[in-house]
Amino acid sequence: MDFVHDCLADRRPVRMLNIVDTFTRECLAIEVDTSLRSSRVIAVLHRLVAKYGKPDAIRVDNGPEFISRALDAWCFERAVKLLFIQPGKPVQNAHVESFNGRLRDECLAEAHWPTLARARAEIELWRTDYNKRRPHSALGYETPAVFGARARRGLPPSAGAAAALIASTHRASVAEAVNVN
């Protein structure tokens, strides 16, 4: 989970809360607004837990929204580990940092949105494209959405259980494909 900053055409600031599943590489949410406090971060997490289940852990930097008592309490109440990267070490949150770079290069650098509503709509279109139309080499050239759906199929909403099952299945299928060819 991380933030990216940009601005509208009239130079008003825009913040994006990006939440990426490190196992499936899916971008689960990009929350876009001019200000995103810890209460908004928690609201987004509530939505995601209702849809995907509770994560085992959330990796974040040391930004004010992430070190808040409210987020700490939310994680504690749900037995979700809050993992902080070391200050100045974004490589410790590499999946989301890589995602942020793609978002900047492919979406934000090209855009000059006149309104916040337009920014939200276009960023959501980009997020959908990222999840549903882009195969990822680490996922056996499946899209994050396909890989994520397969990981969650028939399992209780637990990222840990899904990760263990799919990782072992994926490794076996890759090994089998290598041996066939």
Side-chain angles (χ1 to χ4, degrees):
M1 192 161 61
D2 197 15
F3 283 97
V4 171
H5 306 268
D6 201 24
C7 61
L8 299 175
D10 64 5
R11 309 304 285 162
R12 283 185 297 154
V14 175
R15 295 188 79 199
M16 288 148 270
L17 169 65
N18 299 332
I19 303 177
V20 177
D21 183 317
T22 58
F23 178 68
T24 67
R25 308 298 204 275
E26 283 179 283
C27 176
L28 303 178
I30 302 178
E31 187 76 4
V32 181
D33 213 328
T34 56
S35 174
L36 293 167
R37 298 178 185 265
S38 61
S39 58
R40 278 288 284 286
V41 171
I42 292 168
V44 173
L45 291 173
H46 272 298
R47 282 195 330 252
L48 295 176
V49 166
K51 184 173 182 176
Y52 298 105
K54 177 183 76 80
D56 293 332
I58 301 172
R59 184 173 307 279
V60 296
D61 62 21
N62 293 281
E65 301 83 1
F66 300 144
I67 62 170
S68 73
R69 287 188 184 127
L71 182 60
D72 186 53
W74 185 90
C75 289
F76 179 79
E77 290 165 7
R78 288 157 185 80
V80 173
K81 294 175 191 163
L82 198 53
L83 306 174
F84 292 97
I85 66 170
Q86 292 174 302
K89 304 267 185 173
V91 73
Q92 293 176 348
N93 203 0
H95 289 103
V96 77
E97 291 295 342
S98 174
F99 174 84
N100 290 348
R102 289 187 195 288
L103 175 65
R104 282 187 198 98
D105 293 346
E106 299 171 9
C107 182
L108 305 182
E110 303 291 322
H112 301 285
W113 301 298
T115 65
L116 187 59
R118 180 78 176 267
R120 286 179 178 143
E122 290 190 22
I123 290 168
E124 180 58 21
L125 286 172
W126 183 89
R127 186 186 78 82
T128 300
D129 179 75
Y130 175 86
N131 284 335
K132 294 185 176 182
R133 295 191 179 98
R134 296 177 184 210
H136 197 294
S137 62
L139 305 177
Y141 293 96
E142 289 184 326
T143 65
V146 168
F147 188 83
R150 192 163 53 83
R152 291 184 289 274
R153 191 175 308 133
L155 295 174
S158 164
L165 178 66
I166 297 301
S168 63
T169 304
H170 180 69
R171 280 192 297 273
S173 64
V174 168
E176 184 178 279
V178 169
N179 290 334
V180 169
N181 295 330

